[in-house]
Amino acid sequence: MVMYQTYFSTIVNQISGIVTLIPIISKGLESVNSVGDILLCADVEDANGKKKKRVKDVKGDIEFKDVCFKFKNSDSPVIDNMSFSVKQGETIAFVGASGAGKTTILNLVIGFLRADSGKILIDGQCIDDLNLQSYRQHIAVVPQTPILFTGTIRENITYGSDDISEEFLNEVIRSANLEELIESLPEGLETKITEHGANLSGGQRQRISIARAFVRSPKILILDEATSALDTISEKKIQDSVDRLVKDRTTLIVAHRLSTIRNADKIAVVGEGGLLEFGSYDELMEKQGEFYKLRALQV
Ligand SMILES: Nc1ncnc2c1ncn2[C@@H]1O[C@H](COP(=O)(O)OP(=O)(O)OP(=O)(O)O)[C@@H](O)[C@H]1O
Ligand SMILES: [Mg+2]
């Protein structure tokens, strides 16, 4: 009788244990499935089976030739016959209404999106013929919302580049205006960043993202300025570090701040699928067209 009872309770416990495992198992299976999907997915970048050219060196000339682009799930094209060119070392600022397609242009240059027709030329070579992985080693991207991961500040800055001297890292920190922040933290560079950088302010996150770009020392810099308003001191710090960053590199920047726009060599007003205006700040101000109107709204 006693034996029977002990066995019975053991069996019941085991069964209830298995029952509680069922949701965990099904969740696990789901993950296995999605990992499988990714592993089995054909390489998007080499879909045509053409041999791609490895990019050893980038000068930084970029040209759009009649580029059209439409998102699969939308009817009208975001980019419709867009043409412009940027020379090595120049800074071009994209301005325009929200949803005009500024981020889309940047994503086309990075190769995250592929033009439906027309050509994007990097140093005169069509981006479709380039090995994107090797091409992207020469680019740094500072996105609209900085992406930080759980780890120390040091790891977040040096991410992807392991052989960095302490000296260079200190220089980067100074250039990105992070010195003060790091000195104020008891653990300094080794301070842990919680998920998505929740323990940092928006401006601090942006500067870490900028520092990351400094570390890569890219030939082409892609910068999507955040729309969120920051206090003037923080703004100034970011502006200073951005100014240092854009020196001597081809820079494509989605600009919201007037100071960034002023410092750019060329301004492109994006709208209606193309460029409404293209020229230097003084040219566009003199013309008193779209840019002039936009400027008037901002101040
Ligand atoms: N993944 C997507 N799928 C479908 N449509 C999209 C996708 N991403 C953006 N769009 C659409 O493409 C258009 C251009 O978007 P884009 O992000 O380039 O705008 P933007 O100029 O960067 O705007 P903002 O200044 O607000 O960042 C928008 O109308 C948007 O709705
Ligand atoms: Mg955008």
Side-chain angles (χ1 to χ4, degrees), residues 79-110:
I79 312 278
D80 196 7
N81 262 317
M82 182 178 283
S83 303
F84 66 85
S85 66
V86 199
K87 290 208 188 63
Q88 176 179 10
E90 269 185 345
T91 300
I92 173 169
F94 294 95
V95 297
S98 178
K102 302 179 297 289
T103 304
T104 309
I105 298 174
L106 301 188
N107 283 335
L108 284 164
V109 176
I110 306 166

Side-chain angles (χ1 to χ4, degrees), residues 19-271:
V19 171
T20 54
L21 269 181
I22 286 176
I24 299 176
I25 290 173
S26 68
K27 219 170 148 187
L29 283 180
E30 232 167 75
S31 308
V32 169
N33 273 338
S34 40
V35 169
D37 281 347
I38 292 168
L39 290 179
L40 292 177
C41 170
D43 194 345
V44 188
E45 294 181 359
D46 291 312
N48 313 336
K50 261 197 287 177
K51 187 115 177 77
K52 306 283 166 124
K53 196 165 171 275
R54 287 197 70 79
V55 184
K56 283 210 199 72
D57 211 12
V58 168
K59 278 198 327 195
D61 291 332
I62 300 172
E63 187 173 0
F64 270 50
K65 265 190 178 165
D66 305 320
V67 173
C68 295
F69 176 81
K70 181 168 97 57
F71 283 103
K72 280 206 181 65
N73 49 2
S74 80
D75 310 323
S76 53
V78 181
I79 312 278
D80 196 7
N81 262 317
M82 182 178 283
S83 303
F84 66 85
S85 66
V86 199
K87 290 208 188 63
Q88 176 179 10
E90 269 185 345
T91 300
I92 173 169
F94 294 95
V95 297
S98 178
K102 302 179 297 289
T103 304
T104 309
I105 298 174
L106 301 188
N107 283 335
L108 284 164
V109 176
I110 306 166
F112 287 157
L113 301 174
R114 182 174 267 175
D116 296 325
S117 67
K119 277 199 166 130
I120 299 171
L121 304 172
I122 311 291
D123 293 345
Q125 298 196 58
C126 184
I127 195 169
D128 291 336
D129 302 333
L130 301 179
N131 173 306
L132 286 180
Q133 208 183 350
S134 61
Y135 161 60
R136 287 192 193 128
Q137 280 172 358
H138 305 280
I139 309 183
V141 182
V142 181
Q144 206 161 8
T145 40
I147 302 159
L148 302 183
F149 52 85
T150 324
T152 62
I153 293 186
R154 178 196 296 275
E155 286 163 349
N156 267 281
I157 293 177
T158 60
Y159 163 77
S161 338
D162 302 324
D163 48 349
I164 288 171
S165 70
E166 207 62 18
E167 214 177 2
F168 180 55
L169 186 60
N170 282 332
E171 196 187 311
V172 165
I173 288 167
R174 234 173 299 129
S175 310
N177 263 325
L178 277 168
E179 235 173 356
E180 221 173 293
L181 167 72
I182 288 167
E183 270 165 23
S184 74
L185 295 166
E187 281 173 278
L189 268 174
E190 313 307 326
T191 307
K192 282 255 182 316
I193 293 179
T194 50
E195 198 158 355
H196 304 308
N199 54 344
L200 296 172
S201 77
Q204 291 165 344
R205 267 178 264 167
Q206 278 177 10
R207 275 179 281 146
I208 289 180
S209 187
I210 289 169
R212 201 184 272 166
F214 269 114
V215 167
R216 295 176 61 86
S217 183
K219 282 284 159 39
I220 298 176
L221 175 70
I222 311 272
L223 230 154
D224 205 340
E225 241 178 21
T227 22
S228 59
L230 295 163
D231 61 277
T232 34
I233 298 173
S234 193
E235 284 260 10
K236 178 86 178 64
K237 281 187 181 163
I238 289 174
Q239 191 57 50
D240 287 347
S241 46
V242 167
D243 287 347
R244 283 179 214 132
L245 187 57
V246 302
K247 267 214 186 87
D248 306 323
R249 351 177 176 263
T250 308
T251 306
L252 276 71
I253 179 164
V254 170
H256 298 290
R257 300 187 188 100
L258 183 61
S259 46
T260 327
I261 298 173
R262 278 208 98 120
N263 289 341
D265 298 304
K266 294 273 163 57
I267 295 160
V269 184
V270 185

